[in-house]
DNA sequence: GAGTGGTCTAGACCACCTA
DNA sequence: AGGTGGTCTAGACCACTCC
């Protein structure tokens, strides 16, 4: 009839995926809705089940849907992100007595909590030593490994490196940091006031152990943030690596141009 | 013999994937090396080809390897990231005559370049209007859509929204912004000097069209950055959305604590 | 043309969830 | 028990690359 030339022969798996994607984008399949089962789709489109399965995989890879074993495949709900802002370290929140993460959670109506996985004294990786400007003779750091939760969800895996010279004889070696303002209160008592922060941000797919710790569904990347605290003398005194699940958390920077 | 109890019955696909992952991590399979073919793996492990294929998919999803049609599957090489720092807007680089992106590329020994995809006058999305504090009567913006390249690779898809009131009668409506310091030089002539920036950062898997523009291999997430420029009066005057491929680029913030 | 990855078929069994 | 996703088999044809 018209000038329209179908020409574009679609792969069956792409066709099914596109149809589903359209249904999701138009709202026909609302967030949380269940998709037709793989067997159902295969029947409707006259394909093998594996082909319908491949279609769903295409959507799951993009994070659009999430499969739950024995239950079905569901359109993913968007959770509002918890945004960690550079503001979280601001001295004006000092009196709140909350550590930066708990502060951000509270601001955003979530209940924050953290679990200490381990606390060790080790020789730091070369990269950490370089950023903390540790000389060969001072290569000893306290490492605290935490998982941060927002409500029930684990959202960050957090590794903090503190030069041993600063950490020794403080509460930092104990799991319970009973200090208002969290560990930063302790740093201040030791004479290090945070006056700058330097954070480098990357994104990538999680490693196997990160996926476990963070209970990450497939198709969700992580933000990988290396945070360095700089004191009033321009000296770095603490380095923290955040691995954050990107479907629940983000970052926010509000800074002057110098 | 010993106390070792295999007990853990491994799925064949996981076993193949784990073996390959180990070979990659130990360096036995160096970056750039070719993996055994799917048919080869299937033969060695006595599985169907689809099972070997599934194993490779597990690695590709994590971004560890990259399949090339007709050639083979290769261990991904790590490219050093180009880090966009907040520093890139610093006035001290003004004389260089380079726009922020070209500046960062130059700093890192890459050749930067950009292509203009489109320039239009439109009514902005509600979110953009809100962040630019546009009243109902001023809801008109100039939108410039660009792709940034570092050497040969497209690395950022960049969408800039400028209130029409600021953009009209400037070089901004032309594809060639022949102004030193790029578009920010033009903003300064119109009386807007960047004194703060606000950037919110998320990571996610790319949408289909983003994957096309950025020629993204599967398993590579994007950084999604919303940048807002704030002038000397505290007024936002420009909003740019960066969609950055996360395997080649990252961010860097160095800011004072207030 | 030979070898590679990309896709598909038509079955099968398992693990998990709901009832 | 019946339905769901998770995995696997043993084939097949196609599209792409290299020689």
């Amino acid at each position: 009839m018209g000038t329209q030339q179908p020409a574009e022969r679609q792969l069956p798996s792409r066709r099914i995926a596109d149809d589903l994607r359209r249904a999701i984008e138009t709202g026909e399949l609302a967030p949380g809705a269940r998709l037709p089962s793989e067997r159902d789709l295969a029947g409707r489109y006259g394909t093998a089940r594996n082909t319908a399965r491949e279609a769903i995989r295409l959507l799951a890879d993009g994070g659009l849907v999430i499969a739950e074993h024995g239950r079905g495949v569901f359109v993913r709900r968007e959770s509002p992100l918890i945004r960690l802002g550079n503001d979280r370290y601001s001295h004006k929140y000092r009196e709140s007595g909350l550590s930066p993460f708990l502060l951000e959670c509270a601001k955003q109506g979530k209940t924050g909590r953290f679990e200490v996985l381990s606390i060790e004294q080790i020789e730091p990786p070369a990269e950490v030593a370089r950023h903390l400007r540790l000389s060969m003779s001072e290569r000893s750091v306290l490492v605290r490994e935490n998982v941060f939760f927002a409500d029930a969800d684990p959202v960050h895996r957090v590794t903090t490196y503190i030069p041993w010279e600063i950490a020794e004889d403080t509460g930092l070696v104990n799991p319970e940091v009973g200090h208002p303002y969290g560990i930063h209160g302790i740093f201040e008592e030791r004479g290090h006031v945070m006056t700058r922060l330097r954070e480098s941000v990357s994104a990538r797919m999680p490693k196997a152990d990160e996926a476990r710790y963070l209970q990450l569904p497939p198709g969700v990347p992580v933000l990988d943030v290396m945070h360095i605290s700089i004191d009033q003398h321009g000296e770095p005194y603490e380095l923290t690596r955040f691995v954050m699940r990107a479907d629940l958390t983000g970052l926010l920077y509000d800074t002057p141009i110098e």
Side-chain angles (χ1 to χ4, degrees), chain A:
Chain A
M1 330 248 224
T3 61
Q4 180 73 5
Q5 171 79 341
E8 286 285 318
R9 219 197 112 262
Q10 277 264 32
L11 292 174
S13 58
R14 296 297 288 269
R15 169 139 190 264
I16 299 176
D18 288 347
D19 285 355
L20 290 171
R21 180 177 285 118
R22 200 168 312 117
I24 291 168
E25 280 165 0
T26 63
E28 194 182 329
L29 281 169
R34 220 198 75 187
L35 271 58
S37 77
E38 295 173 351
R39 290 163 178 86
D40 185 353
L41 286 169
R44 287 197 219 181
Y45 286 87
T47 69
R49 183 184 153 208
N50 269 347
T51 303
R53 187 171 173 71
E54 168 71 8
I56 287 174
R57 195 182 67 75
L58 291 171
L59 301 181
D61 277 356
L64 207 57
V65 302
I66 172 83
E68 296 183 25
H69 196 165
R71 304 212 325 121
V73 177
F74 300 86
V75 181
R76 187 169 270 162
R77 301 165 188 280
E78 295 229 356
S79 315
L81 298 189
I82 299 170
R83 291 212 178 267
L84 277 196
N86 54 325
D87 179 56
R88 70 192 183 280
Y89 294 108
S90 174
H91 303 302
K92 69 187 174 207
Y93 298 119
R94 178 81 170 290
E95 302 139 20
S96 73
L98 294 172
S99 68
F101 174 72
L102 299 180
L103 178 70
E104 288 289 350
C105 283
K107 270 194 205 171
Q108 293 166 62
K110 301 262 182 182
T111 305
R113 178 173 70 82
F114 67 92
E115 281 177 12
V116 178
L117 295 180
S118 67
I119 299 183
E120 286 177 292
Q121 182 184 358
I122 63 161
E123 180 173 336
E127 196 194 10
V128 171
R130 198 178 69 245
H131 286 295
L132 288 176
R133 297 196 207 149
L134 298 179
S135 67
M136 286 307 285
S137 62
E138 345 169 88
R139 297 230 163 163
S140 176
V141 296
L142 187 74
V143 183
R144 296 175 57 103
E145 181 97 28
N146 298 321
V147 177
F148 287 1
F149 294 80
D151 293 341
D153 301 309
V155 293
H156 300 170
R157 187 156 106 349
V158 181
T159 312
T160 301
Y161 300 86
I162 306 152
W164 181 248
E165 166 182 289
I166 295 173
E168 65 183 334
D169 306 323
T170 68
L172 290 167
V173 295
N174 298 318
E176 317 80 28
V177 176
H179 200 287
Y181 199 44
I183 67 174
H184 295 288
I186 296 181
F187 290 130
E188 293 196 0
E189 286 180 357
R190 300 279 306 203
H192 299 279
V193 179
M194 198 189 303
T195 53
R196 294 191 78 82
L197 65 76
R198 188 148 50 224
E199 294 187 352
S200 65
V201 181
S202 310
R204 56 179 173 77
M205 296 311 285
K207 297 180 179 143
D209 64 314
E210 295 167 342
R212 261 201 315 282
Y213 277 126
L214 298 176
Q215 295 169 24
L216 277 172
V220 175
V222 294
L223 283 159
D224 186 334
V225 180
M226 191 178 66
H227 162 99
I228 302 171
S229 298
I230 313 283
D231 71 14
Q232 68 277 20
H233 307 300
E235 294 294 326
Y237 63 93
E238 176 254 347
L239 185 154
T240 300
R241 179 125 176 250
F242 297 88
V243 178
M244 310 173 26
R245 57 183 285 186
D247 60 337
L248 294 179
T249 58
L251 297 157
L252 182 66
Y253 294 93
D254 183 346
T255 106
I257 303 294
E258 296 177 328

